[in-house]
């Protein structure tokens, strides 16, 4: 039995449990190889597709995918299918995609029941699944560790959380900002805390990722050490929620800010932010 694991799309939030749990089930876990996909799509989407193609080509039996909305059904607006049904979206674009196992993109003790079910289905051995879960269930409550983010002239990033999980995409943005002595700052609160921040804005948001993005806006707008804000919005793949964009038009943040697309020339963005900050 071979199960493919993504290295993106919030993987750092759920794999700390699922990877060792699957290994405790005597299941082979497979990470993607570098696989470039030449499609007219933004870099984060090409990377995600490339990893899916890589894992398919490596002959995995199942593909473990995250439910970034934690089981919440969307009823308002038109969110991107990449955000609300990743398995179906990949299935349309990757011919012969292996069967998928979808798990919440966040860990909590409540995930233990799903883990036991998946373990028993994979192994047909309830005792093995129970032992594996006993050995790894402590990993269902990982402590949140804020990222270390030294530097001055901080620029806060407000976007869908799948982008803050993508070091390759972030690298180009960081490099462009660094040319002006600016440093990217990611919200250093746990996802649940950011969702609470977003809910306090009373924008009527439902999806966890939308609430998290709104929480980034509220938190970073008032954080004194953050000198500017960068909002990244892609209407097709990773949109910021419409109520948040309307809020920005009605009540601008109390510091320099820009809203840009996923593939905006970062050097130009850095030039404009530096000019506004008089750096």
């Amino acid at each position: 039995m071979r199960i493919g694991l993504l290295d993106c799309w919030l993987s750092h939030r759920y794999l700390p449990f699922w990877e060792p749990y699957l290994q405790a089930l005597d299941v082979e876990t497979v990470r993607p190889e570098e696989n470039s996909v030449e499609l007219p799509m933004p870099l984060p989407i090409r990377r995600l597709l490339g990893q899916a193609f890589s894992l398919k080509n490596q002959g995995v039996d199942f593909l473990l995918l995250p439910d970034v909305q934690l089981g919440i059904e969307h009823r308002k607006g038109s969110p991107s299918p990449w955000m609300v049904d990743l398995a179906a979206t990949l299935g349309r674009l990757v011919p012969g995609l292996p069967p998928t196992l979808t798990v919440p993109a966040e860990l909590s003790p409540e995930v233990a029941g799903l883990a036991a079910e998946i373990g028993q289905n994979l192994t047909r051995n309830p005792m093995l699944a129970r032992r594996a879960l006993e050995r790894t269930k402590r990993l269902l409550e990982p402590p949140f560790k804020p990222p270390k983010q030294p530097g001055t002239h901080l620029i806060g990033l407000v976007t869908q959380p799948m982008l803050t999980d993508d070091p390759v995409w972030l690298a180009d943005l960081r490099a462009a900002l660094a040319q002006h002595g600016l440093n990217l700052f990611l919200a250093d609160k746990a996802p649940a805390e950011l969702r609470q921040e977003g809910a306090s804005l009373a924008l009527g948001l439902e999806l966890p990722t939308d609430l998290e993005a709104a929480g980034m806006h509220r938190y970073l707008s008032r954080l004194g050490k953050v000198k500017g804000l960068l909002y990244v919005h892609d209407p097709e793949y990773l949109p910021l929620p419409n109520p948040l964009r309307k809020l920005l038009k009605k009540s601008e943040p109390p510091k320099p800010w820009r809203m840009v697309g996923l593939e905006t020339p970062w050097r130009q963005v850095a030039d404009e932010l530096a000019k506004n900050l008089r750096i």
Side-chain angles (χ1 to χ4, degrees), residues 217-259:
H217 158 76
R218 185 173 188 268
Y219 173 57
L220 296 172
S221 292
R222 70 172 189 270
L223 197 61
K225 64 182 179 181
V226 171
K227 304 305 180 184
L229 295 171
L230 185 61
Y231 296 79
V232 178
H233 161 75
D234 186 287
E236 183 174 357
Y237 298 102
L238 290 169
L240 287 172
N242 190 50
L244 175 59
R245 287 181 279 125
K246 288 182 177 179
L247 177 64
L248 288 171
K249 293 180 179 179
K250 291 181 180 178
S251 177
E252 293 195 4
K255 54 190 70 176
W257 67 284
R258 286 285 317 279
M259 180 173 290

Side-chain angles (χ1 to χ4, degrees), residues 71-104:
I72 304 298
E73 296 288 338
H74 68 287
R75 293 173 294 178
K76 299 178 182 177
S78 301
S80 165
W82 293 91
M83 294 169 53
V84 298
D85 196 345
L86 183 59
T89 304
L90 289 176
R92 288 193 292 270
L93 295 170
V94 183
L97 188 74
T100 59
L101 300 171
T102 300
V103 301

Side-chain angles (χ1 to χ4, degrees), residues 69-187:
Q69 307 304 353
L70 310 179
I72 304 298
E73 296 288 338
H74 68 287
R75 293 173 294 178
K76 299 178 182 177
S78 301
S80 165
W82 293 91
M83 294 169 53
V84 298
D85 196 345
L86 183 59
T89 304
L90 289 176
R92 288 193 292 270
L93 295 170
V94 183
L97 188 74
T100 59
L101 300 171
T102 300
V103 301
E106 197 164 289
L107 299 178
S108 71
E110 288 73 26
V111 174
L114 174 63
E117 179 183 342
I118 288 177
Q120 292 182 35
N121 290 339
L122 290 175
T123 65
R124 304 298 178 183
N125 187 332
M127 186 172 294
L128 174 59
R130 185 163 55 249
R131 288 199 304 266
L133 188 56
E134 285 296 320
R135 290 201 295 271
T136 57
K137 66 180 181 181
R138 72 187 187 283
L139 301 174
L140 286 171
E141 299 185 84
F144 175 72
K145 297 180 181 179
K148 294 181 179 179
Q149 303 180 88
T152 57
H153 305 305
L154 301 178
I155 303 298
L157 178 63
V158 179
T159 188
Q160 290 292 347
M162 289 77 84
L163 287 181
T164 64
D165 183 48
D166 190 330
V168 176
W169 179 80
L170 289 174
D172 290 340
L173 174 55
R174 291 186 192 277
L177 292 174
Q179 291 182 352
H180 288 281
L182 304 175
N183 292 280
L184 190 66
F185 186 83
L186 308 180

Side-chain angles (χ1 to χ4, degrees), residues 262-279:
L262 264 175
E263 297 190 295
T264 302
W266 298 125
R267 181 173 295 183
Q268 176 183 337
V269 172
D271 290 345
E272 294 176 0
L273 284 170
K275 182 178 179 181
N276 291 337
L277 292 170
R278 299 179 181 176
I279 294 175

